[in-house]
Amino acid sequence: MSTSNKFTIVRVISAPIVFLLYFIPIWTGKFAAASMIILLPYLVFAEITDGLDGHYARKHNEVSDFGKVFDPFADVILHMSSFCCLMFSMSSEMPMGGYMPAFVFVLLFYRELTMTFLRMVAAMKGTAIAARKGGKLKTVMYIVSAFYAFILELHVRCGFAVPYNSMRTMWGVGIGLFIICLCLSYISFIDYLIAFKPVFKNFDK
């Protein structure tokens, strides 16, 4: 396996690890603070591998059609796992039970699942759909929004004193960030459909 793909697979492996770190305290009622203290730097490391795989792919001339499909797949696995976590919180006072509304998660999941399917179709036709600027911007927004919400959960699990009204305001900001993610995800999806229209036009032939 190439060096770049080794970095990519780190994100795939990291997805269930992030999921378990987040939910073990919710399931057991233990290790609340420790879970987030470990999770946040670990997630930073996992996200950094996204840049490292591209760097080594270019440095070692390892750019491949497989890598162009595997890299966004790893991103989807990690980000959807993070977003799934953020539909829940250990705080009983959190509106809707978490930071990301379920309808936002479902719409993002549909978008990412469909985009993954289209990448597979394009690959079968010999075309690798590389990331475009809109997709990269969407990914950056995914990361910013997720970390914002995880930091709020860190406050909850560490027992930091935050006034209820202030917490609701910060929660509202998080909702706004996730709505922006939703908008950017579908804008970039439309951009991919337009850019690769010839590939998708006769996909069933």
Side-chain angles (χ1 to χ4, degrees):
M1 181 181 290
S2 66
T3 302
S4 57
N5 286 335
K6 288 179 181 177
F7 279 115
T8 303
I9 205 169
V10 167
R11 295 200 301 288
V12 176
I13 296 171
S14 296
I17 293 175
V18 168
F19 185 87
L20 289 173
L21 283 172
Y22 192 87
F23 277 104
I24 283 175
I26 294 176
W27 295 333
T28 66
K30 301 177 181 179
F31 315 113
S35 66
M36 295 306 299
I37 291 171
I38 296 171
L39 187 153
L40 281 169
Y42 182 79
L43 190 57
V44 169
F45 162 73
E47 293 292 358
I48 287 174
T49 64
D50 192 15
L52 291 175
D53 60 14
H55 169 74
Y56 280 97
R58 292 185 294 271
K59 182 179 180 180
H60 296 160
N61 194 28
E62 297 173 348
V63 177
S64 65
D65 289 346
F66 173 79
K68 291 178 181 178
V69 175
F70 189 37
D71 179 64
F73 169 77
D75 288 343
V76 169
I77 292 293
L78 180 59
H79 296 150
M80 289 300 103
S81 295
S82 296
F83 288 163
C84 180
C85 293
L86 293 170
M87 289 193 290
F88 302 88
S89 170
M90 288 197 74
S91 172
S92 59
E93 297 180 347
M94 195 64 61
M96 297 191 300
Y99 304 93
M100 171 173 275
F103 81 90
V104 173
F105 175 81
V106 170
L107 290 175
L108 289 175
F109 179 76
Y110 288 165
R111 185 273 186 197
E112 297 298 345
L113 193 64
T114 304
M115 192 67 224
T116 299
F117 171 74
L118 293 179
R119 288 183 188 278
M120 292 172 59
V121 170
M124 291 171 61
K125 289 180 169 291
T127 300
I129 300 179
R132 292 173 61 81
K133 289 182 179 179
K136 291 179 179 179
L137 176 61
K138 176 267 300 180
T139 299
V140 170
M141 198 63 204
Y142 276 14
I143 296 170
V144 170
S145 303
F147 272 101
Y148 177 85
F150 278 129
I151 290 171
L152 291 185
E153 184 66 8
L154 173 66
H155 281 71
V156 170
R157 297 192 184 191
C158 289
F160 296 146
V162 180
Y164 179 72
N165 289 337
S166 297
M167 194 64 181
R168 283 187 65 89
T169 299
M170 290 187 288
W171 174 84
V173 171
I175 295 296
L177 291 175
F178 287 130
I179 294 298
I180 293 172
C181 286
L182 183 60
C183 294
L184 289 177
S185 70
Y186 277 88
I187 290 171
S188 68
F189 180 68
I190 293 170
D191 176 57
Y192 279 111
L193 290 180
I194 294 173
F196 293 92
K197 183 178 178 180
V199 178
F200 302 139
K201 189 174 182 181
N202 297 310
F203 72 93
D204 59 339
K205 295 183 179 180

